Amino acid sequence: MTHVRTYLDWNATAPLHPAARDAFLRALDLTGNPSSVHGEGRAAKAAMENARRQVAALFHAEASHVTFTSGATEAANLALTPDFRMGRTPLAIGHLYVSAIEHPAVREGGRFPKDRVSEIPVTSDGIVDLDALSAALAAHDAGAGLPMVAIMLANNETGIVQPVKEAARIVHAKGGIMVVDAVQAAARLDIDIAALDADFLIVSSHKIGGPRGVGALVSRGEILMPKPLIHGGGQEKGHRSGTENLAAIIGFGAAAETARNDMTERRARIGALRDRLESGMRTAADDVVIHGAGIERICNTVFFTLPGLKAETGQIAFDLEGVALSAGAACSSGKVGESHVLTAMGRDPRLGALRISLGPATTEADIDHALAAFTKIAGRRKPAGQAA
């Protein structure tokens, strides 16, 4: 029987996990508003607080330090602001430093003016240049306010794990604030916010099998908090107003709890599938370039270039063969452009690259299908020197 479709774009969005779907559907029957004091409201509040504990546990954080948002993009815009408070005292952030490989949600700088955002370069291996970070913070104008640094834990295109703990040590030595995009690393690495020495984590539900439209900003403590992005009724302890998306939050909690179970075994299984896929790709096309090979990566990601194959052409070709993958980050509808990650690594972004990302439901048959499609597409390329 023909293997009709294979979904290998888990970094864009994970299929909704059955446990998250069940929790979401049950939550639709909760009548009350979590802010109401009557019995129905208290029941809704209790269910939401249970989900908050589940999400917090995934990051070894305190439940009271989880602020629910509409997604990771909102969480990034909440955290990336010049205006903070330390307790009741206003705290000014003078400048934001972001790595050159950040997701656009962070790279855009949130609520910082453009002239107060600087990029930290990465090495040719795709790893944040810690010497450059140290130099930038050494030159930081402390009179304008504290520095803030935003670095992702795992890159969404290459899967390369970043030296966040080492960066945090540099940042905190200068009295700065460390914001970590943990969207792609969640459930693929065991993340302990305190051990990572991060002040804030940006997280997303739909990347770990929860519903779309919900995420969170996880803080290390309650004293240091950004100025609210959304004002109103004071929900989420005043950090994010608006009636909470209760069903999605409860689905998020169920996904987070599921993700914590058997994480080590799941990572090993997915990593073995990823390694078999890469080995088969090299056998089928010895000129394939796997970006980040040999560097520590999350277990599920393959970012590759096939010389002579444009990214947009490749994405369509794989789709026609029944394999869903992506050409880098899925951050705008239908857009396939040059990879700023490859540019930051010193690679020619015009070469194009495609991303395969696996998940807990990926099977051996899926890998076989992907390799068959890869072999067919690689064989159809024009020989060097011929017109495409």
Side-chain angles (χ1 to χ4, degrees):
M1 182 177 177
T2 303
H3 198 98
V4 180
R5 294 291 300 179
T6 292
Y7 185 77
L8 296 177
D9 200 15
W10 289 69
N11 284 10
T13 195
L16 188 63
H17 193 281
R21 180 187 294 108
D22 291 346
F24 179 92
L25 291 175
R26 288 195 303 272
L28 294 177
D29 290 329
L30 291 171
T31 302
N33 185 317
S35 296
S36 298
V37 297
H38 49 56
E40 289 83 355
R42 293 196 304 273
K45 176 80 167 182
M48 185 175 70
E49 293 310 310
N50 181 61
R52 199 185 306 275
R53 288 189 292 272
Q54 291 171 316
V55 171
L58 185 59
F59 305 101
H60 300 271
E62 297 293 331
S64 60
H65 299 168
V66 173
T67 300
F68 287 119
T69 65
S70 65
T73 295
E74 186 191 325
N77 280 268
L78 173 58
L80 304 180
T81 176
D83 302 311
F84 268 71
R85 61 170 175 78
M86 181 70 75
R88 296 184 178 181
T89 304
L91 186 68
I93 310 300
H95 203 87
L96 171 65
Y97 303 87
V98 302
S99 85
I101 57 171
E102 294 302 303
H103 186 281
V106 170
R107 199 163 171 242
E108 285 294 312
R111 291 181 275 174
F112 281 86
K114 295 296 183 184
D115 62 353
R116 291 170 65 182
V117 181
S118 299
E119 276 194 355
I120 302 300
V122 299
T123 67
S124 60
D125 287 331
I127 299 171
V128 174
D129 188 332
L130 295 181
D131 289 337
L133 173 62
S134 294
L137 293 185
H140 174 77
D141 179 9
L146 298 176
M148 174 182 284
V149 175
I151 298 175
M152 56 184 14
L153 183 51
N155 183 257
N156 51 301
E157 294 188 13
T158 64
I160 293 172
V161 177
Q162 300 300 315
V164 166
K165 186 173 182 178
E166 293 80 357
R169 188 178 305 116
I170 296 169
V171 173
H172 289 146
K174 294 294 183 180
I177 296 173
M178 186 75 199
V179 178
V180 176
D181 175 355
V183 168
Q184 293 296 346
R188 295 166 186 154
L189 297 174
D190 185 10
I191 303 172
D192 183 322
I193 188 171
L196 202 60
D197 205 15
D199 294 299
F200 296 95
L201 298 178
I202 297 165
V203 300
S204 175
S205 166
H206 74 100
K207 304 293 188 176
I208 64 169
R212 300 172 184 85
V214 62
L217 183 66
V218 182
S219 63
R220 190 170 174 182
E222 286 190 290
I223 300 299
L224 178 71
M225 287 301 294
K227 180 180 179 180
L229 175 65
I230 299 176
H231 300 269
Q235 290 87 348
E236 296 297 290
K237 294 186 176 180
H239 305 318
R240 199 277 188 185
S241 292
T243 300
E244 294 91 346
N245 187 353
L246 183 63
I249 286 170
I250 289 172
F252 184 12
E257 183 170 274
T258 300
R260 282 201 306 133
N261 298 330
D262 304 318
M263 187 185 298
T264 301
E265 180 181 338
R266 187 173 64 249
R267 285 165 52 190
R269 189 186 72 81
I270 294 172
L273 289 175
R274 194 271 305 272
D275 292 346
R276 186 166 83 82
L277 173 63
E278 291 185 350
S279 177
M281 290 168 65
R282 292 190 178 98
T283 298
D286 59 9
D287 60 343
V288 66
V289 178
I290 298 176
H291 303 287
I295 308 297
E296 183 185 1
R297 291 175 289 164
I298 49 176
C299 61
N300 77 318
T301 303
V302 182
F303 193 47
F304 69 94
T305 293
L306 263 176
L309 182 70
K310 293 181 179 179
E312 57 268 33
T313 303
Q315 187 172 16
I316 293 169
F318 274 97
D319 192 45
L320 291 173
E321 293 295 328
V323 178
L325 47 68
S326 66
C331 55
S332 59
S333 179
K335 178 181 177 183
V336 177
E338 295 182 353
S339 167
H340 73 280
V341 175
L342 290 182
T343 300
M345 293 169 65
R347 317 282 173 86
D348 185 350
R350 294 172 299 177
L351 294 175
L354 296 169
R355 182 186 67 189
I356 292 174
S357 46
L358 287 58
T362 303
T363 65
E364 296 279 356
D366 291 332
I367 300 302
D368 291 339
H369 185 199
L371 283 173
F374 177 88
T375 301
K376 186 175 180 179
I377 293 166
R380 289 202 304 252
R381 290 175 296 161
K382 296 286 185 181
Q386 290 191 15

